């Protein structure tokens, strides 16, 4: 995902002003006029036309007010029964479903993503599923991982880390939205308030979602300042937010450039920040399987690489092949299919121009253009479906350039001269979210082992004979990976309860009497809680005494 | 723990040279002459005299060779049966026990820590206990936390992160030694090679321990490059090590200044680094209990604050009291007891001078000197047992100065005017490893809640009516805490298996056939392994098929 280019497209007015039409921000549990630094409008990517309503670019005063309120809410949330937090998450999921049609239309208008199947049948149910998983985790408490040493009376568990600042990306207006997506669900499930910085390419969608969140907070009786929303801040204020002493942690999904800036600021302040920054998701197609299933793999690949106009974190942007007649034919067929496929609409002029620039850089570095390569001469934001090819030697000469993420509907295929070169390329790969191997169970056995040994430590998720664009919301999912794909390879941003752990700190009680312990650390934990007692995992009975 | 001052005490020779007497380094599984940048000698703190043998300050060439060998060892270790890793850790523990007398004499000579009870009865058994816990964890595999989603065939687990560079502190020559301590045990248990940078105040102890480690590697058949040892490097080479692409992660225990420099370098390279940097471990004594148990608390405190001449990470250096007749008497009694107690020996002239400078800064800022305050005019390194007192208002005027760690046998007591001021002080505390509350179960009930709500989020471990200097090696222990006590409040450096997680990354397998999965992710895991399958923890039977 790439958001840096888009942020720079915001038109800050020269002097601060407030327009009566400017949409309000949600701060301290109240919808109110922003302290504005300027305004911006979103755009309909299908027409290139600006959408009517101006949204505020918040000044630091908004951030400051949000921090004060969030710090208070964090203390209040500590005293709230987790059941109530779960009720909020469930209610929010239901509220989103009740407004599904309106939300899909809004998101479609702002992003050009198809209502069917993408938004209505895919992303929206995924989002509500995440919220309900988080609700379940809040109830069941497994994310706390209570560890009890009865002999020494030492007890530890993960506890909420404090207010979480979330920067949402451009490419998932629901599932990764700062105000309802995976990071949001995880942070709230652990009992943390959220300061959401929506992506400025879909502010109306974000506002509508935050309205539902706010209504559900009021309805379930959680502290109203549990959810705050801003649409845009000045870049320096973003750096200030993630390093503020009142922040517990931050989460960011977006471009590597913006992510690294936020990381440097948060690191210097000793504040955890969880980043998903970029990934080209290499797919290695081994020769045995390619010879048997060339056409199928080509179809799967084209379908995966064009999903959402290629604007997926897990978009398979790099394909590694052995140079032979099969791979020549594969490239020709994929090229033809890309050429024949409809060209999707991109999120913004910024995304389109950034894609054009990345493709140009690849061509300048020597990549052969098989198809596409040009901006579509249309009002909508679009770029031809593009395929580039290089040799293995070319890759090895410029591994940095040829691993640059071209975010959108473009891909690069590498034909290695031989197995040794293919392995050398695998050994040069940066950290990625995913790595995929297509292999035949018989013909590619020994090569699979060599490739997977190189790929596995470089990726968060290793896939076998399956394209990486589906990210199942499963407790076993890892949507993360070695730097620079993410900021820390120990954590995942998808998958409950693991994703929740990012927003926790370890707390420990030594010799503290029973009645002064948090509920999950008592000998009799609330019903359904898992505890690891003297090395054994056990779950308290559904009807156990929870005092 | 403070190591920065000591490192600067090293005398680098002006030109590189090799003396036949200079001790060898352990690199690539071989004891060999270092590529020297200079040499240094350790010192007997009890006499102030230099010890005879010169040790090398390694040039970058040693680091480079260690990195190359460690990277290869990391790949080799992936294929090793965890049982073998466990055997190594067990054998190492036994080898240390077999050489206990020699090791304790060496450590005593280099650190002046008492052989009995500290080294022989305390630290050495703790160290071997840690190694055996780590062995158990390597066998049982709970640290991998395998999570299996059978429906989607997605499976994830923690995997070794790669070579781990460990910087040991000055204050635990066994239990935190880079070549046998807690970080070492945790890194090895996960299957990572270790590049140990011993603390230059106890190089002979470290060499003797590394010799045992090396022998045990050879004996158990692990890759010999699994353990490397250097005694000193140039500061810039330390920064280069923690940010090297071949490093998986680093661990550091020492001064805040050195820790922050390493953190900045590692963060910029996207490499995890786990730091334990400084802590003053506030103890809040509430008025009810103080009125009932003043003499007992004073005795417990004096004993804790003088342990190891105060050179403990968890030394209770700051005491918060309410100003009244009881606290006046408490201060007078503690002062008298400190004055009467024998003065321990400090690790080095650097530690002593740094302590003198910290005490001077506190006095300059207005602290009243109750006892001590001077360097002992002796050949050994010693500083008078020192107690300083300030008012609550003084603390609130200069919270930064009055939270400076005075590493050694000095402490600061704060008398707050009233409860509101006491709470205000608690709210200003930085991140600490521990926080302690002494409270009466009846008289201090409501105040306990107010204080613990403020203290708990600021410390890694909250203690009740118990001094913090004992750090039990328990699965429930948290030896960590909010920045700047540690680098990341999610992790602990003591407590198996949690401490192991620092040296892991999350790996995930999506649609990978059964026979290509790591053992812990198969439907039938090795005997005794815990797996979380579709949300339920289960342990495979002791005799289950491990294929």
């Amino acid at each position: 995902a790439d958001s840096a280019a888009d942020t720079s497209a915001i038109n800050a007015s020269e002097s601060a002003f407030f327009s009566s039409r400017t949409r309000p921000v949600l701060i301290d549990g109240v919808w109110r006029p922003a302290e504005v630094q300027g305004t911006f409008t979103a755009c309909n990517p299908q027409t290139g036309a600006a959408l009517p309503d101006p949204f505020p670019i918040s000044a630091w005063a908004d951030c400051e007010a949000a921090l004060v309120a969030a710090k208070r809410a964090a203390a209040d949330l500590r005293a709230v029964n987790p059941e109530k937090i779960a009720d909020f998450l469930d209610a929010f999921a239901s509220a989103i479903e009740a407004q599904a049609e309106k939300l899909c239309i809004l998101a479609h208008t702002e992003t050009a993503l198809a209502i069917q199947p993408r938004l209505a049948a895919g992303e929206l149910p995924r989002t509500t599923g995440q919220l309900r998983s988080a609700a379940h985790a809040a109830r069941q408490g497994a994310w706390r991982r209570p560890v009890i040493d009865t002999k020494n009376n030492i007890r530890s568990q993960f506890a909420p880390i404090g207010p979480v600042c979330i920067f949402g990306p451009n490419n998932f207006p629901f599932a990764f939205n700062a105000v309802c997506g995976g990071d949001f669900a995880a942070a709230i499930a652990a009992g943390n308030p959220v300061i959401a910085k929506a992506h400025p390419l879909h502010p109306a969608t974000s506002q509508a979602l935050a309205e539902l969140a706010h209504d559900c907070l009021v309805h379930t009786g959680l502290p109203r300042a549990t959810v705050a929303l801003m649409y845009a801040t000045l870049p320096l204020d973003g750096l200030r937010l993630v390093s503020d002493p009142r922040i517990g942690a931050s989460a960011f999904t977006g471009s590597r450039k913006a992510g690294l800036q936020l990381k440097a600021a948060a690191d210097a302040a000793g504040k955890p920040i969880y980043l998903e920054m970029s990934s080209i998701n290499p797919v290695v197609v081994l020769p045995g399987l390619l010879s048997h299933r060339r056409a199928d793999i080509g179809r799967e690949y084209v379908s995966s690489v064009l999903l959402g106009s290629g604007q997926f974190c897990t978009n398979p942007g790099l394909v590694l092949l052995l140079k032979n007649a099969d791979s020549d034919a594969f490239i020709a067929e994929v090229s033809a299919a890309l050429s024949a496929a409809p060209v999707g609409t991109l999120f913004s002029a910024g995304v389109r121009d950034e894609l054009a620039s990345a493709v140009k850089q690849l061509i300048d570095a020597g990549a052969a253009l098989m198809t596409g390569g040009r901006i579509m001469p249309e009002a909508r934001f679009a770029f031809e479906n593009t395929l580039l090819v290089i040799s293995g030697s070319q890759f090895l000469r410029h591994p940095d350039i040829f691993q640059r993420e071209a975010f959108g509907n473009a891909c690069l295929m590498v034909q290695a001269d031989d197995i040794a070169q293919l392995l050398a390329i695998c050994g040069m790969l940066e950290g990625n979210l995913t790595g995929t191997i297509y292999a035949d169970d018989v013909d590619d056995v020994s090569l699979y082992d060599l490739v997977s040994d190189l790929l596995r430590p470089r990726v968060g998720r290793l896939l076998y004979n399956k394209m990486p664009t589906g990210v199942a919301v499963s407790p076993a999912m890892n949507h993360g990976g070695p730097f620079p794909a993410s900021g820390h390879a120990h954590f995942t941003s998808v998958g409950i309860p693991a994703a929740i752990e990012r927003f926790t700190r370890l707390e420990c009680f030594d010799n503290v009497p029973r009645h002064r312990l948090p509920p999950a650390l008592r000998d009799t934990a609330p019903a359904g809680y898992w505890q690891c007692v003297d090395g054994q995992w056990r779950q308290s009975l559904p009807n156990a005494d929870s005092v």
Side-chain angles (χ1 to χ4, degrees), chain A residues 239 242 258-268 271 273 275 277 483 486-488:
Chain A
L239 305 184
V242 301
L260 290 178
Q261 287 171 348
L262 290 170
K263 180 179 189 306
D267 285 345
K271 290 291 177 184
I273 184 164
L275 307 132
M277 292 186 284
F483 182 86
S486 88
H488 198 309

Side-chain angles (χ1 to χ4, degrees), chain A residues 441-476:
Chain A
D441 250 344
V442 176
D443 296 349
D444 296 316
V445 168
S446 57
L447 188 50
Y448 174 89
D449 289 339
L450 295 171
V451 170
S452 74
D453 277 352
L454 289 165
L455 210 51
R456 195 189 51 242
R458 290 174 168 80
V459 303
R461 177 165 54 118
L462 187 75
L463 295 104
Y464 182 82
N465 291 0
K466 181 187 175 188
M467 288 296 163
T469 29
V471 180
V473 180
S474 156

Side-chain angles (χ1 to χ4, degrees), chain A residues 356-376:
Chain A
S357 147
V359 167
K360 179 171 184 308
Q361 193 189 19
L362 293 169
I363 292 171
D364 288 349
L369 181 68
M370 306 304 289
T371 185
R374 287 172 307 186
I375 288 177
M376 302 280 282

Side-chain angles (χ1 to χ4, degrees), chain A residues 107 111 113 118-119 123 170-175 177 180 202 205 209:
Chain A
T111 65
L113 291 170
R118 163 69 188 259
L119 292 170
E123 196 178 335
N170 60 12
N171 61 343
F172 279 82
F174 300 149
N177 194 303
C180 70
H202 45 256
T205 307
L209 288 160

Side-chain angles (χ1 to χ4, degrees), chain A residues 140-388:
Chain A
Q140 193 218 28
W143 65 270
R144 296 182 191 269
R145 222 176 343 137
V147 178
I148 298 176
D149 171 347
T150 56
K151 192 177 131 230
N152 293 303
N153 191 22
I154 302 174
R155 294 154 193 259
S156 61
Q157 66 169 355
F158 290 118
I161 197 165
V164 174
C165 184
I166 303 176
F167 296 80
N170 60 12
N171 61 343
F172 279 82
F174 300 149
F176 282 81
N177 194 303
V179 85
C180 70
D183 288 338
F184 174 90
I188 297 281
N192 301 298
V194 165
I195 298 176
K197 214 289 280 164
H199 197 282
L201 288 182
H202 45 256
T205 307
S206 303
Q207 187 191 9
L209 288 160
E211 279 169 355
L212 298 179
H214 177 68
D215 293 348
C216 294
L217 286 178
V218 173
H219 186 72
T220 49
L222 283 197
R224 295 186 187 192
T226 299
V227 180
L229 174 73
M230 291 178 282
Y231 311 97
T233 56
L234 298 183
L236 280 179
D237 286 344
L239 305 184
R240 212 168 148 188
L241 264 176
V242 301
S243 50
D244 191 277
R246 291 161 291 192
I247 279 289
S250 300
F252 167 87
T253 307
S255 74
R256 189 184 298 189
K257 187 178 158 207
L260 290 178
Q261 287 171 348
L262 290 170
K263 180 179 189 306
D267 285 345
K271 290 291 177 184
I273 184 164
Y274 301 97
L275 307 132
E276 187 196 315
M277 292 186 284
S278 55
S279 189
I280 54 172
N281 305 298
V283 175
V284 189
V285 185
L286 300 188
L289 194 71
L290 188 65
S291 74
H292 306 319
R293 288 194 48 219
R294 198 180 73 216
D296 291 344
I297 300 171
R299 270 190 297 272
E300 287 175 35
Y301 181 72
V302 169
S303 153
S304 174
V305 87
L306 292 183
L307 259 190
S309 308
Q311 300 165 117
F312 264 59
C313 325
T314 52
N315 182 62
L318 181 72
V319 178
L320 306 182
L321 303 158
L322 274 184
K323 171 82 180 161
N324 59 26
D326 285 328
S327 66
D328 286 345
F330 179 73
I331 288 170
E333 287 159 11
V334 168
S335 180
L338 286 173
S339 195
V343 171
T345 301
L346 298 168
F347 292 132
S348 68
V351 168
R352 179 197 63 198
D353 296 346
E354 189 71 25
L355 177 58
S357 147
V359 167
K360 179 171 184 308
Q361 193 189 19
L362 293 169
I363 292 171
D364 288 349
L369 181 68
M370 306 304 289
T371 185
R374 287 172 307 186
I375 288 177
M376 302 280 282
E378 302 180 10
R380 69 178 182 128
F381 307 131
F383 190 84
E384 292 172 347
N385 297 329
T386 297
L387 174 61
L388 300 157

